[in-house]
Amino acid sequence: MDMYNFSAGPAMLPREVMKKAQEEFCNYRNSGSGIMELSHRGSLFTEVIERAEQNIRDLMNISDDYAVIFVQGGASMQFCMIPMNLLPAGATADYADTGVWGAKAAKEAKLFGNVNLACSSKETKYDHIPAFGEWKRTAGAAYLHITSNNTVAGTQYHQFPEVIDGVPMLADMSSDIMSRVINVNDFGLIYAGAQKNLGPSGMALVIIRKDLAERTPANVPTMLRYNTYIENKSLFNTPPTFAIYMLALVTDHFKAMGGIGEIEKINDAKAAKLYDVLDSSDYYRSPVARDSRSNMNVVWRMPTEELEAKFIKEAAAQGMTGLKGHRLVGGLRASIYNAMPMSGIDKLIAFMRDFEKNNG
């Protein structure tokens, strides 16, 4: 039986990547050692980390104005690193409160300086991205922080806010990084936990405009300074070598698929199929405004919580796991990141239709 993992993260990885990693796990490039056993300063790993960075630059069309670095601690570490490095004393940072993770990022930033919530959809349970005309942004803000895709609520920006001169836009793209084409030049900094679209958990990919890293105050600890990673090519200390290796394999795979443009077409088609089922039935209900629906995390509710529990149990028995909604909101959630094949969507849809027929 084919298994499909719909978990929000750590999420499924491309099967081809997992097989490649399995083949090389104990003997990487005939070295007699696995990649986790090799020196991070040796030639074999140097090739891996350089390939990982170049793949990211190629796939996302990143210029030399930006550094690409690998930082331990996942996206949550960036919640504090960003204000420590980029929020000067006396300045104000704007945050968009469009979900649980955006709220957590703003909470951390308040420990280091002034924070203005430019917008919030909390009162409506984060069911939409507020219209940009409603935002209240700070003149001369140190930066604007957004969360491009909200895994808990199932919302996503389908356009981005206007970039104001002198106010860099920073984005947590943990759950939709490399799922669609974006213009990196619109952002001052992009970060993403690896465990959804890029590889294993425990590491964040950070893409930062080099001039911003010069803002860092002198009292920020060495390991929390962006320039430490930039100047040492993410090798100041021993980096998460296996996570970087897996990211290199995943991005090799993305290139083989034809790049982000081709991946975006597949993701659009996957999401459209699943939302068509939700919209054609009163049995399944999407709580998300149509213009804010995520292509990565599709959430829905059913007539009763008992039916939801039964759905999750029976789906797992048929090889579809990870469909339980986040503990804060309940319901169901299908996370359909880049690695989820169309066959997984088709299997889920067939199960949904049969379940409604048998339990409606």
Side-chain angles (χ1 to χ4, degrees), residues 261-313:
E262 293 303 311
I263 291 170
E264 181 176 15
K265 292 176 186 177
I266 297 169
N267 286 334
D268 287 346
K270 290 189 303 187
K273 270 191 174 185
L274 196 46
Y275 282 118
D276 282 347
V277 174
L278 299 183
D279 293 337
S280 63
S281 169
D282 294 329
Y283 192 72
Y284 302 109
R285 178 181 59 83
S286 169
V288 181
R290 285 178 181 254
D291 63 355
S292 298
R293 288 175 171 177
S294 170
N295 279 3
M296 297 284 97
N297 308 100
V298 180
V299 299
W300 70 94
R301 299 306 303 253
M302 293 172 62
T304 67
E305 291 184 358
E306 290 76 17
L307 281 170
E308 290 172 349
K310 184 179 181 183
F311 182 101
I312 292 165
K313 182 179 180 180

Side-chain angles (χ1 to χ4, degrees), residues 3-12 151 296-300 308 311-327 330-337 340 348:
M3 297 291 296
Y4 298 100
N5 174 13
F6 289 91
S7 174
M12 71 181 298
T151 56
M296 297 284 97
N297 308 100
V298 180
V299 299
W300 70 94
E308 290 172 349
F311 182 101
I312 292 165
K313 182 179 180 180
E314 292 185 5
Q318 294 192 29
M320 292 167 285
T321 61
L323 286 165
K324 186 176 182 179
H326 192 277
R327 64 186 182 279
L332 297 108
R333 172 176 58 180
S335 295
I336 52 175
Y337 303 125
M340 178 60 64
L348 176 59

